[in-house]
Amino acid sequence: MTLARHEEQAALRGLLRSVTDDLGGEIRDEWVKALTAVPRHLFIPNRIWVGENNEPLDRANDPTGWLSAAYANAPVVTQVNDGTDSEDGEVWPSSSASMPSVVVRMLEDLAVREGMKVLEVGSGTGWNAGLLAYRLGDANVTTVEVDARVTAAARTALGRAGLRPEVVCADGGAGWPAGQPFDRIICTCAVNRVPGAWLDQVRPGGVILTPWENPWIGWGMLRLTVRDGLAEGRFMPYGSFMLMRGHRSDLRIFRDVVRDDHVPDESATDLDPWAVAGQDLDAQFAVGSRLGDVWHARQHDPDVDGVAVRLWLATTDASSWAAVDWDGAEDVERFTVWQYGPRRLWDETEAAYRWWLDQGRPGPDRFSLTATRDGQSVWLDTPANLVRDGDGSPAAPQSRVRGPR
């Protein structure tokens, strides 16, 4: 055995241990076999981006670091800026190899069996499709990717691993009509609405599994069962993925939302803005589900006297906005609020937060979604307890968006 092969096998064993620990001590045998037979490093390109600042790492320059990243239980950025040069020098991830433990958890939640046909939306590196193809056979797996260069790289990597599922360059939001019906659709990018085409292409009783994003937060997994022209299922509290390209928006606070002639109303609040836009993911998920088409962004050092951080809120149609100022002190009891437009966004946010508290601080696993071709509704615990109507309105009385520059 060569030294390189020995290092790859040692790295694989380390990854299996890490994934097993992350998933609570057990991986189903069929996925252990797939992980062993379909090595992740075969699907990682020679140039990747690592760290919080997305620094490039080249295999030729740092083979040890590259192999370590390839077998870490962590996501790996494999493309930035949609594969193009950024006009302003900004670097933002646009394709990646997902965290292996999340990949395995999704595959287990998909609950595939021999003979099932699966459509994967978002080929990425091709590794996920490779694991499915090893488990179900090439003929039963189709993977769709919107980016032509990513598609070609995934097809090459799959061939390198000895696998030949159908690899298609197309918009995954439209599914893949030529291959229907499918028993399962698994999406490897987040969506903020369930495409109607997916409902048409899944057999009755089949499953759709997809990461989720509402404009407030990109977090959570949605598992739907298809029946009678609709899909219904519950959210799960894991997974944060890049948004499907067709679902992206590119709003900027000072380019698209706030105008010099806007005159906001001033008020104050005793609700800490970081209670709804901080580390509590359950609160963020609930508030975002309640508000619907409202997003937020932080602005550090906004060049305003006495303001250390400003929390911005805005609607996705850029018609209403709000801002909440924090002076950086630990014991602040009141925060200045600015609101503009037909919707009082901070008032709505406070009401959504109070609603969440009144419901017992539910996590995503108490929320469900019903989707039809005409729309979708989010509900809490039972379908009668709507969080938002299908038209996006609050149900009871009361790309990812990038932040400000």
Side-chain angles (χ1 to χ4, degrees):
M1 181 185 299
T2 65
L3 178 60
R5 180 62 175 158
H6 176 78
E7 291 174 341
E8 290 164 5
Q9 290 194 347
L12 174 59
R13 289 193 297 270
L15 177 61
L16 288 172
R17 286 193 299 270
S18 180
V19 171
T20 301
D21 291 343
D22 212 14
L23 296 182
E26 184 176 356
I27 308 175
R28 292 190 180 100
D29 287 344
E30 59 264 32
W31 296 121
V32 173
K33 292 176 182 177
L35 290 166
T36 303
V38 186
R40 190 179 189 230
H41 75 274
L42 295 181
F43 295 83
I44 303 299
N46 290 332
R47 166 167 279 206
I48 56 179
W49 288 261
V50 298
E52 293 184 1
N53 296 323
N54 297 309
E55 296 292 336
L57 189 160
D58 290 299
R59 185 179 189 178
N61 297 332
D62 186 0
T64 301
W66 180 90
L67 185 66
S68 177
Y71 280 102
N73 187 24
V76 175
V77 175
T78 55
Q79 185 198 67
V80 296
N81 303 352
D82 289 341
T84 63
D85 293 328
S86 173
E87 294 181 359
D88 55 10
E90 183 181 11
V91 175
W92 45 274
S94 54
S95 190
S96 68
S98 299
M99 184 175 182
S101 59
V102 173
V103 169
V104 174
R105 184 168 182 178
M106 288 182 68
L107 292 172
E108 294 196 337
D109 285 339
L110 197 63
V112 295
R113 300 187 301 274
E114 282 75 7
M116 282 187 170
K117 288 181 61 180
V118 176
L119 172 65
E120 179 195 42
V121 175
S123 305
T125 65
W127 188 52
N128 195 69
L131 296 171
L132 282 165
Y134 181 84
R135 172 77 173 83
L136 299 172
D138 291 340
N140 288 324
V141 177
T142 301
T143 181
V144 178
E145 169 62 50
V146 70
D147 187 302
R149 283 170 291 192
V150 174
T151 303
R155 186 182 292 114
T156 298
L158 285 160
R160 194 158 51 235
L163 299 163
R164 298 287 188 278
E166 184 174 18
V167 182
V168 179
C169 184
D171 179 4
W176 185 239
Q180 66 178 317
F182 297 99
D183 299 286
R184 301 285 190 267
I185 291 180
I186 180 172
C187 187
T188 63
C189 52
V191 300
N192 51 38
R193 59 188 179 276
V194 179
W198 293 2
L199 307 185
D200 297 338
Q201 295 175 26
V202 176
R203 300 180 193 274
V207 168
I208 296 170
L209 182 68
T210 181
W212 189 253
E213 174 169 308
N214 62 51
W216 193 268
I217 183 175
W219 179 64
M221 195 68 56
L222 178 63
R223 190 181 194 273
L224 302 169
T225 300
V226 178
R227 56 178 175 79
D228 301 328
L230 61 80
E232 193 166 272
R234 187 151 294 202
F235 292 95
M236 295 176 282
Y238 76 91
S240 181
F241 284 71
M242 297 175 191
L243 189 62
M244 180 181 283
R245 293 191 186 184
H247 290 197
R248 289 178 184 171
S249 62
D250 186 22
L251 291 173
R252 306 277 184 147
I253 284 291
F254 301 122
R255 183 190 70 191
D256 305 304
V257 180
V258 178
R259 296 283 185 259
D260 290 340
D261 60 349
H262 289 179
V263 181
D265 297 325
E266 181 180 357
S267 59
T269 181
D270 58 5
L271 175 61
D272 188 331
W274 314 128
V276 295
Q279 298 301 312
D280 192 331
L281 299 183
D282 288 351
Q284 286 211 52
F285 185 90
V287 168
S289 297
R290 186 76 170 178
L291 294 176
D293 61 345
V294 179
W295 56 279
H296 72 276
R298 296 189 189 198
Q299 183 183 16
H300 294 271
D301 301 320
D303 196 25
V304 178
D305 288 343
V307 179
V309 183
R310 175 168 282 174
L311 176 67
W312 290 97
L313 293 69
T315 55
T316 56
D317 66 2
S319 64
S320 299
W321 59 264
V324 185
D325 291 340
W326 176 51
D327 64 7
E330 295 294 333
D331 56 352
V332 180
E333 295 182 356
R334 301 285 284 176
F335 302 85
T336 301
V337 177
W338 309 92
Q339 299 187 89
Y340 175 85
R343 290 177 63 179
R344 307 282 87 177
L345 294 188
W346 184 251
D347 295 348
E348 290 186 27
T349 301
E350 286 190 330
Y353 184 72
R354 289 195 302 270
W355 171 85
W356 177 67
L357 295 177
D358 290 343
Q359 301 298 320
R361 300 174 177 260
D365 53 351
R366 282 181 55 193
F367 289 81
S368 298
L369 181 141
T370 300
T372 69
R373 264 209 158 272
D374 299 323
Q376 58 192 28
S377 297
V378 178
W379 41 277
L380 179 69
D381 297 332
T382 69
N385 190 14
L386 287 176
V387 177
R388 295 195 71 78
D389 289 325
D391 65 357
S393 303
Q398 331 211 221
S399 99
R400 164 66 99 184
V401 176
R402 300 183 211 154
R405 295 181 162 187

